[in-house]
Amino acid sequence: MTLPLYAEIAVSVLLLIGASFTLAGSLGLLKLSDAMSRLHAPTLSATLGVGSLLLASMVYSFATGMPSLHEMLVMAFLFVTAPITANFIAKVHLHRCRDVEDLPQPPADKIWATRSDT
Amino acid sequence: MIATALYIAVGTVGLAQVLAMVRLLRGPHVGDRILALDTMVINAIALIILAGMSLGTQMYFESAMIIAMLGFVSTVALCRFVLRGDITE
């Protein structure tokens, strides 16, 4: 089956954009020096990378005459859950991988819930 | 054109998966390992989407959805376990 040229170009460009952002996210995860800066690199691959790949898949399904919007579900789920997992991993970094004196001060009369020794 | 782009994309995402695995093996702290596992789940979703496109079936999106859900729940459970030593409390 031959697709129209604009569909081929759109799908190919979206595929290449998604793949390069995914690679950039993993490269940042490997190369960045600090734990907290490593945390922000894979969000690239979670949002832009997989988002572009899903968009490419959606455009492809519309161009081949079998339209489907299932990909939208995966995209929405990833977009909703990525900040939550990032928050949890940041909490692990803060509370398990740092010394007590490096932590920011909690509000007055409060303690860090996971650091009862502060 | 799409077939060539698919091959390039599969190679690139596979390379990204290998890089995330290197961080998983090297990671100095447990937080880095959890982050690398989360990244690997996301790259696996991307690979499954690419497989579904190249095979031309709609069946793979359900598995991508299930892997996304399992990855989220397992990351949160791992973080809870590391933070509190207990998942359900």
Side-chain angles (χ1 to χ4, degrees):
Chain A
M1 179 190 315
T2 59
L3 296 181
L5 184 64
Y6 65 87
E8 289 229 359
I9 291 175
V11 171
S12 307
V13 166
L14 281 173
L15 276 176
L16 292 183
I17 288 175
S20 54
F21 270 114
T22 310
L23 182 65
S26 290
L27 204 62
L29 176 72
L30 187 63
K31 295 305 274 185
L32 288 177
S33 57
D34 184 34
M36 273 303 180
S37 44
R38 274 202 289 274
L39 181 63
H40 97 268
T43 54
L44 262 186
S45 54
T47 54
L48 271 173
V50 177
S52 295
L53 290 177
L54 286 166
L55 211 59
S57 169
M58 237 181 319
V59 172
Y60 185 68
S61 72
F62 273 97
T64 49
M66 299 181 296
S68 80
L69 288 173
H70 294 180
E71 294 88 341
M72 209 59 123
L73 269 177
V74 184
M75 210 191 289
F77 187 81
L78 278 181
F79 279 26
V80 168
T81 58
I84 303 172
T85 52
N87 189 13
F88 268 103
I89 294 170
K91 268 174 93 176
V92 170
H93 276 306
L94 271 180
H95 296 288
R96 280 289 172 266
C97 309
R98 285 191 183 190
D99 293 333
V100 179
E101 52 265 24
D102 292 338
L103 283 177
Q105 279 296 316
D109 304 326
K110 296 267 175 60
I111 57 167
W112 289 108
T114 49
R115 290 300 282 261
S116 53
D117 53 336
T118 48
Chain B
M1 187 152 57
I2 290 179
T4 318
L6 264 175
Y7 280 126
I8 297 173
V10 167
T12 316
V13 178
L15 181 64
Q17 187 80 299
V18 170
L19 293 181
M21 200 183 293
V22 171
R23 174 53 74 192
L24 174 68
L25 293 176
R26 268 176 39 181
H29 293 301
V30 65
D32 294 313
R33 293 181 204 270
I34 298 174
L35 182 60
L37 266 181
D38 192 48
T39 312
M40 284 181 72
V41 167
I42 286 167
N43 289 349
I45 295 169
L47 277 176
I48 284 179
I49 292 160
L50 290 174
M53 271 188 78
S54 70
L55 293 178
T57 68
Q58 300 289 320
M59 210 171 57
Y60 283 84
F61 299 112
E62 276 79 10
S63 57
M65 192 73 211
I66 288 169
I67 286 186
M69 287 176 173
L70 279 179
F72 170 65
V73 172
S74 61
T75 306
V76 170
L78 259 175
C79 288
R80 293 295 290 177
F81 182 71
V82 170
L83 278 173
R84 310 287 294 216
D86 193 356
I87 297 169
T88 54
E89 303 207 31

mmCIF file of all heavy atoms in Angstrom, chain B residues 14-51:
data_model
loop_
_atom_site.group_PDB
_atom_site.id
_atom_site.type_symbol
_atom_site.label_atom_id
_atom_site.label_comp_id
_atom_site.label_asym_id
_atom_site.label_seq_id
_atom_site.Cartn_x
_atom_site.Cartn_y
_atom_site.Cartn_z
ATOM 1 N N GLY B 14 16.825 1.461 20.889
ATOM 2 C CA GLY B 14 17.577 0.357 21.475
ATOM 3 C C GLY B 14 18.873 0.820 22.113
ATOM 4 O O GLY B 14 19.233 0.366 23.206
ATOM 5 N N LEU B 15 19.549 1.754 21.439
ATOM 6 C CA LEU B 15 20.765 2.335 22.018
ATOM 7 C C LEU B 15 20.447 3.069 23.322
ATOM 8 O O LEU B 15 21.187 2.965 24.316
ATOM 9 C CB LEU B 15 21.416 3.275 21.008
ATOM 10 C CG LEU B 15 22.705 3.965 21.433
ATOM 11 C CD1 LEU B 15 23.783 2.937 21.664
ATOM 12 C CD2 LEU B 15 23.151 4.968 20.395
ATOM 13 N N ALA B 16 19.304 3.805 23.326
ATOM 14 C CA ALA B 16 18.883 4.501 24.539
ATOM 15 C C ALA B 16 18.626 3.505 25.665
ATOM 16 O O ALA B 16 18.982 3.759 26.830
ATOM 17 C CB ALA B 16 17.624 5.323 24.253
ATOM 18 N N GLN B 17 18.035 2.359 25.303
ATOM 19 C CA GLN B 17 17.780 1.328 26.319
ATOM 20 C C GLN B 17 19.089 0.817 26.910
ATOM 21 O O GLN B 17 19.210 0.613 28.115
ATOM 22 C CB GLN B 17 16.985 0.197 25.653
ATOM 23 C CG GLN B 17 16.488 -0.860 26.567
ATOM 24 C CD GLN B 17 15.244 -0.429 27.283
ATOM 25 O OE1 GLN B 17 15.262 0.535 28.011
ATOM 26 N NE2 GLN B 17 14.174 -1.157 27.089
ATOM 27 N N VAL B 18 20.099 0.617 26.046
ATOM 28 C CA VAL B 18 21.403 0.141 26.532
ATOM 29 C C VAL B 18 22.033 1.175 27.468
ATOM 30 O O VAL B 18 22.583 0.826 28.532
ATOM 31 C CB VAL B 18 22.324 -0.184 25.338
ATOM 32 C CG1 VAL B 18 23.736 -0.442 25.827
ATOM 33 C CG2 VAL B 18 21.807 -1.379 24.592
ATOM 34 N N LEU B 19 21.930 2.468 27.096
ATOM 35 C CA LEU B 19 22.509 3.520 27.939
ATOM 36 C C LEU B 19 21.827 3.557 29.305
ATOM 37 O O LEU B 19 22.492 3.692 30.351
ATOM 38 C CB LEU B 19 22.379 4.882 27.246
ATOM 39 C CG LEU B 19 23.179 5.091 25.977
ATOM 40 C CD1 LEU B 19 22.967 6.480 25.443
ATOM 41 C CD2 LEU B 19 24.642 4.846 26.226
ATOM 42 N N ALA B 20 20.494 3.424 29.306
ATOM 43 C CA ALA B 20 19.777 3.401 30.586
ATOM 44 C C ALA B 20 20.199 2.195 31.413
ATOM 45 O O ALA B 20 20.293 2.269 32.641
ATOM 46 C CB ALA B 20 18.271 3.392 30.340
ATOM 47 N N MET B 21 20.489 1.063 30.719
ATOM 48 C CA MET B 21 20.904 -0.129 31.463
ATOM 49 C C MET B 21 22.291 0.064 32.083
ATOM 50 O O MET B 21 22.557 -0.422 33.187
ATOM 51 C CB MET B 21 20.896 -1.344 30.537
ATOM 52 C CG MET B 21 20.824 -2.654 31.268
ATOM 53 S SD MET B 21 20.900 -4.046 30.162
ATOM 54 C CE MET B 21 19.365 -3.886 29.301
ATOM 55 N N VAL B 22 23.159 0.804 31.375
ATOM 56 C CA VAL B 22 24.475 1.108 31.952
ATOM 57 C C VAL B 22 24.310 1.921 33.234
ATOM 58 O O VAL B 22 24.960 1.651 34.255
ATOM 59 C CB VAL B 22 25.345 1.860 30.926
ATOM 60 C CG1 VAL B 22 26.609 2.363 31.571
ATOM 61 C CG2 VAL B 22 25.685 0.972 29.765
ATOM 62 N N ARG B 23 23.383 2.902 33.197
ATOM 63 C CA ARG B 23 23.153 3.683 34.412
ATOM 64 C C ARG B 23 22.547 2.810 35.505
ATOM 65 O O ARG B 23 22.867 2.979 36.680
ATOM 66 C CB ARG B 23 22.253 4.874 34.086
ATOM 67 C CG ARG B 23 21.809 5.695 35.271
ATOM 68 C CD ARG B 23 22.961 6.160 36.122
ATOM 69 N NE ARG B 23 23.733 7.238 35.508
ATOM 70 C CZ ARG B 23 24.911 7.626 35.978
ATOM 71 N NH1 ARG B 23 25.449 7.025 37.037
ATOM 72 N NH2 ARG B 23 25.565 8.596 35.398
ATOM 73 N N LEU B 24 21.714 1.854 35.112
ATOM 74 C CA LEU B 24 21.123 0.944 36.100
ATOM 75 C C LEU B 24 22.210 0.127 36.795
ATOM 76 O O LEU B 24 22.168 -0.102 37.998
ATOM 77 C CB LEU B 24 20.120 0.019 35.418
ATOM 78 C CG LEU B 24 19.500 -1.086 36.272
ATOM 79 C CD1 LEU B 24 18.592 -0.507 37.310
ATOM 80 C CD2 LEU B 24 18.745 -2.062 35.419
ATOM 81 N N LEU B 25 23.219 -0.310 36.016
ATOM 82 C CA LEU B 25 24.279 -1.117 36.609
ATOM 83 C C LEU B 25 25.243 -0.257 37.410
ATOM 84 O O LEU B 25 25.754 -0.694 38.450
ATOM 85 C CB LEU B 25 25.031 -1.875 35.519
ATOM 86 C CG LEU B 25 24.227 -2.948 34.808
ATOM 87 C CD1 LEU B 25 25.047 -3.550 33.687
ATOM 88 C CD2 LEU B 25 23.802 -4.025 35.773
ATOM 89 N N ARG B 26 25.529 0.974 36.963
ATOM 90 C CA ARG B 26 26.545 1.796 37.595
ATOM 91 C C ARG B 26 26.034 2.593 38.770
ATOM 92 O O ARG B 26 26.750 2.823 39.733
ATOM 93 C CB ARG B 26 27.138 2.765 36.563
ATOM 94 C CG ARG B 26 28.345 2.191 35.894
ATOM 95 C CD ARG B 26 28.894 3.071 34.826
ATOM 96 N NE ARG B 26 28.853 4.496 35.141
ATOM 97 C CZ ARG B 26 29.281 5.438 34.300
ATOM 98 N NH1 ARG B 26 29.740 5.085 33.130
ATOM 99 N NH2 ARG B 26 29.237 6.694 34.614
ATOM 100 N N GLY B 27 24.735 3.018 38.680
ATOM 101 C CA GLY B 27 24.153 4.026 39.543
ATOM 102 C C GLY B 27 24.662 4.021 40.971
ATOM 103 O O GLY B 27 24.520 3.016 41.662
ATOM 104 N N PRO B 28 25.253 5.107 41.426
ATOM 105 C CA PRO B 28 25.852 5.075 42.756
ATOM 106 C C PRO B 28 24.813 4.935 43.864
ATOM 107 O O PRO B 28 25.098 4.296 44.873
ATOM 108 C CB PRO B 28 26.583 6.416 42.842
ATOM 109 C CG PRO B 28 25.965 7.280 41.809
ATOM 110 C CD PRO B 28 25.496 6.381 40.738
ATOM 111 N N HIS B 29 23.638 5.503 43.685
ATOM 112 C CA HIS B 29 22.624 5.435 44.736
ATOM 113 C C HIS B 29 21.426 4.642 44.255
ATOM 114 O O HIS B 29 21.246 4.414 43.065
ATOM 115 C CB HIS B 29 22.164 6.836 45.141
ATOM 116 C CG HIS B 29 23.228 7.626 45.815
ATOM 117 N ND1 HIS B 29 23.840 7.214 46.983
ATOM 118 C CD2 HIS B 29 23.809 8.785 45.482
ATOM 119 C CE1 HIS B 29 24.743 8.093 47.337
ATOM 120 N NE2 HIS B 29 24.760 9.061 46.438
ATOM 121 N N VAL B 30 20.587 4.281 45.217
ATOM 122 C CA VAL B 30 19.393 3.500 44.868
ATOM 123 C C VAL B 30 18.422 4.350 44.061
ATOM 124 O O VAL B 30 17.708 3.841 43.185
ATOM 125 C CB VAL B 30 18.751 2.932 46.147
ATOM 126 C CG1 VAL B 30 18.238 4.023 47.049
ATOM 127 C CG2 VAL B 30 17.641 1.981 45.810
ATOM 128 N N GLY B 31 18.410 5.690 44.300
ATOM 129 C CA GLY B 31 17.525 6.555 43.519
ATOM 130 C C GLY B 31 17.866 6.535 42.048
ATOM 131 O O GLY B 31 16.976 6.553 41.193
ATOM 132 N N ASP B 32 19.171 6.493 41.729
ATOM 133 C CA ASP B 32 19.579 6.441 40.325
ATOM 134 C C ASP B 32 19.116 5.144 39.676
ATOM 135 O O ASP B 32 18.695 5.143 38.512
ATOM 136 C CB ASP B 32 21.096 6.546 40.226
ATOM 137 C CG ASP B 32 21.584 7.895 40.676
ATOM 138 O OD1 ASP B 32 21.007 8.888 40.237
ATOM 139 O OD2 ASP B 32 22.526 7.941 41.480
ATOM 140 N N ARG B 33 19.178 4.067 40.432
ATOM 141 C CA ARG B 33 18.740 2.788 39.857
ATOM 142 C C ARG B 33 17.239 2.788 39.594
ATOM 143 O O ARG B 33 16.776 2.276 38.560
ATOM 144 C CB ARG B 33 19.117 1.653 40.799
ATOM 145 C CG ARG B 33 20.609 1.469 40.910
ATOM 146 C CD ARG B 33 20.938 0.321 41.822
ATOM 147 N NE ARG B 33 22.259 0.447 42.375
ATOM 148 C CZ ARG B 33 23.347 -0.037 41.812
ATOM 149 N NH1 ARG B 33 23.260 -0.696 40.702
ATOM 150 N NH2 ARG B 33 24.515 0.132 42.381
ATOM 151 N N ILE B 34 16.464 3.351 40.528
ATOM 152 C CA ILE B 34 15.013 3.418 40.302
ATOM 153 C C ILE B 34 14.717 4.278 39.083
ATOM 154 O O ILE B 34 13.878 3.938 38.246
ATOM 155 C CB ILE B 34 14.305 3.976 41.547
ATOM 156 C CG1 ILE B 34 14.522 3.059 42.744
ATOM 157 C CG2 ILE B 34 12.829 4.131 41.305
ATOM 158 C CD1 ILE B 34 13.971 3.612 44.021
ATOM 159 N N LEU B 35 15.430 5.405 38.964
ATOM 160 C CA LEU B 35 15.228 6.296 37.811
ATOM 161 C C LEU B 35 15.588 5.592 36.511
ATOM 162 O O LEU B 35 14.879 5.721 35.496
ATOM 163 C CB LEU B 35 16.076 7.546 37.995
ATOM 164 C CG LEU B 35 15.974 8.610 36.921
ATOM 165 C CD1 LEU B 35 14.552 9.103 36.836
ATOM 166 C CD2 LEU B 35 16.891 9.760 37.241
ATOM 167 N N ALA B 36 16.677 4.815 36.539
ATOM 168 C CA ALA B 36 17.076 4.093 35.324
ATOM 169 C C ALA B 36 16.032 3.042 34.961
ATOM 170 O O ALA B 36 15.723 2.853 33.781
ATOM 171 C CB ALA B 36 18.440 3.445 35.538
ATOM 172 N N LEU B 37 15.461 2.369 35.968
ATOM 173 C CA LEU B 37 14.411 1.380 35.682
ATOM 174 C C LEU B 37 13.194 2.056 35.070
ATOM 175 O O LEU B 37 12.594 1.534 34.120
ATOM 176 C CB LEU B 37 14.022 0.657 36.971
ATOM 177 C CG LEU B 37 14.736 -0.643 37.262
ATOM 178 C CD1 LEU B 37 14.216 -1.221 38.560
ATOM 179 C CD2 LEU B 37 14.479 -1.629 36.150
ATOM 180 N N ASP B 38 12.825 3.238 35.612
ATOM 181 C CA ASP B 38 11.688 3.977 35.071
ATOM 182 C C ASP B 38 11.937 4.360 33.611
ATOM 183 O O ASP B 38 11.051 4.221 32.753
ATOM 184 C CB ASP B 38 11.455 5.211 35.935
ATOM 185 C CG ASP B 38 10.140 5.871 35.646
ATOM 186 O OD1 ASP B 38 9.137 5.148 35.599
ATOM 187 O OD2 ASP B 38 10.117 7.098 35.461
ATOM 188 N N THR B 39 13.160 4.826 33.336
ATOM 189 C CA THR B 39 13.507 5.185 31.957
ATOM 190 C C THR B 39 13.450 3.969 31.046
ATOM 191 O O THR B 39 13.001 4.058 29.896
ATOM 192 C CB THR B 39 14.907 5.792 31.923
ATOM 193 O OG1 THR B 39 14.987 6.773 32.937
ATOM 194 C CG2 THR B 39 15.197 6.421 30.600
ATOM 195 N N MET B 40 13.898 2.815 31.567
ATOM 196 C CA MET B 40 13.870 1.604 30.741
ATOM 197 C C MET B 40 12.443 1.186 30.423
ATOM 198 O O MET B 40 12.156 0.705 29.319
ATOM 199 C CB MET B 40 14.624 0.476 31.434
ATOM 200 C CG MET B 40 16.117 0.630 31.350
ATOM 201 S SD MET B 40 16.987 -0.712 32.133
ATOM 202 C CE MET B 40 16.667 -2.009 30.977
ATOM 203 N N VAL B 41 11.532 1.369 31.378
ATOM 204 C CA VAL B 41 10.119 1.054 31.104
ATOM 205 C C VAL B 41 9.582 1.954 29.997
ATOM 206 O O VAL B 41 8.902 1.491 29.067
ATOM 207 C CB VAL B 41 9.295 1.206 32.400
ATOM 208 C CG1 VAL B 41 7.820 1.213 32.091
ATOM 209 C CG2 VAL B 41 9.610 0.103 33.357
ATOM 210 N N ILE B 42 9.941 3.254 30.059
ATOM 211 C CA ILE B 42 9.458 4.189 29.033
ATOM 212 C C ILE B 42 10.034 3.837 27.666
ATOM 213 O O ILE B 42 9.329 3.853 26.646
ATOM 214 C CB ILE B 42 9.796 5.621 29.464
ATOM 215 C CG1 ILE B 42 8.849 6.025 30.585
ATOM 216 C CG2 ILE B 42 9.672 6.590 28.315
ATOM 217 C CD1 ILE B 42 9.246 7.237 31.299
ATOM 218 N N ASN B 43 11.338 3.475 27.645
ATOM 219 C CA ASN B 43 11.936 3.076 26.365
ATOM 220 C C ASN B 43 11.309 1.781 25.852
ATOM 221 O O ASN B 43 11.158 1.610 24.633
ATOM 222 C CB ASN B 43 13.442 2.883 26.542
ATOM 223 C CG ASN B 43 14.146 4.196 26.735
ATOM 224 O OD1 ASN B 43 13.564 5.248 26.546
ATOM 225 N ND2 ASN B 43 15.396 4.145 27.132
ATOM 226 N N ALA B 44 10.914 0.884 26.764
ATOM 227 C CA ALA B 44 10.261 -0.355 26.331
ATOM 228 C C ALA B 44 8.910 -0.047 25.708
ATOM 229 O O ALA B 44 8.521 -0.674 24.709
ATOM 230 C CB ALA B 44 10.098 -1.303 27.521
ATOM 231 N N ILE B 45 8.192 0.939 26.277
ATOM 232 C CA ILE B 45 6.923 1.355 25.669
ATOM 233 C C ILE B 45 7.175 1.863 24.250
ATOM 234 O O ILE B 45 6.450 1.504 23.310
ATOM 235 C CB ILE B 45 6.260 2.442 26.522
ATOM 236 C CG1 ILE B 45 5.860 1.888 27.890
ATOM 237 C CG2 ILE B 45 5.034 2.994 25.839
ATOM 238 C CD1 ILE B 45 5.455 2.954 28.849
ATOM 239 N N ALA B 46 8.233 2.678 24.100
ATOM 240 C CA ALA B 46 8.549 3.209 22.771
ATOM 241 C C ALA B 46 8.875 2.076 21.804
ATOM 242 O O ALA B 46 8.404 2.074 20.650
ATOM 243 C CB ALA B 46 9.726 4.174 22.873
ATOM 244 N N LEU B 47 9.638 1.075 22.255
ATOM 245 C CA LEU B 47 9.988 -0.053 21.375
ATOM 246 C C LEU B 47 8.752 -0.846 20.970
ATOM 247 O O LEU B 47 8.626 -1.284 19.815
ATOM 248 C CB LEU B 47 10.984 -0.961 22.088
ATOM 249 C CG LEU B 47 12.451 -0.555 22.026
ATOM 250 C CD1 LEU B 47 13.280 -1.500 22.854
ATOM 251 C CD2 LEU B 47 12.926 -0.570 20.594
ATOM 252 N N ILE B 48 7.816 -1.015 21.907
ATOM 253 C CA ILE B 48 6.605 -1.789 21.594
ATOM 254 C C ILE B 48 5.752 -1.045 20.586
ATOM 255 O O ILE B 48 5.164 -1.648 19.668
ATOM 256 C CB ILE B 48 5.840 -2.103 22.890
ATOM 257 C CG1 ILE B 48 6.556 -3.212 23.640
ATOM 258 C CG2 ILE B 48 4.421 -2.520 22.599
ATOM 259 C CD1 ILE B 48 5.910 -3.573 24.913
ATOM 260 N N ILE B 49 5.686 0.301 20.741
ATOM 261 C CA ILE B 49 4.934 1.092 19.760
ATOM 262 C C ILE B 49 5.557 0.934 18.373
ATOM 263 O O ILE B 49 4.850 0.754 17.368
ATOM 264 C CB ILE B 49 4.919 2.563 20.183
ATOM 265 C CG1 ILE B 49 4.090 2.730 21.445
ATOM 266 C CG2 ILE B 49 4.350 3.435 19.096
ATOM 267 C CD1 ILE B 49 4.412 3.981 22.173
ATOM 268 N N LEU B 50 6.902 0.975 18.332
ATOM 269 C CA LEU B 50 7.580 0.827 17.035
ATOM 270 C C LEU B 50 7.328 -0.559 16.447
ATOM 271 O O LEU B 50 7.109 -0.698 15.236
ATOM 272 C CB LEU B 50 9.075 1.076 17.202
ATOM 273 C CG LEU B 50 9.447 2.524 17.502
ATOM 274 C CD1 LEU B 50 10.924 2.642 17.785
ATOM 275 C CD2 LEU B 50 9.078 3.411 16.352
ATOM 276 N N ALA B 51 7.321 -1.583 17.307
ATOM 277 C CA ALA B 51 7.032 -2.942 16.814
ATOM 278 C C ALA B 51 5.623 -3.015 16.260
ATOM 279 O O ALA B 51 5.386 -3.620 15.200
ATOM 280 C CB ALA B 51 7.219 -3.948 17.949
#
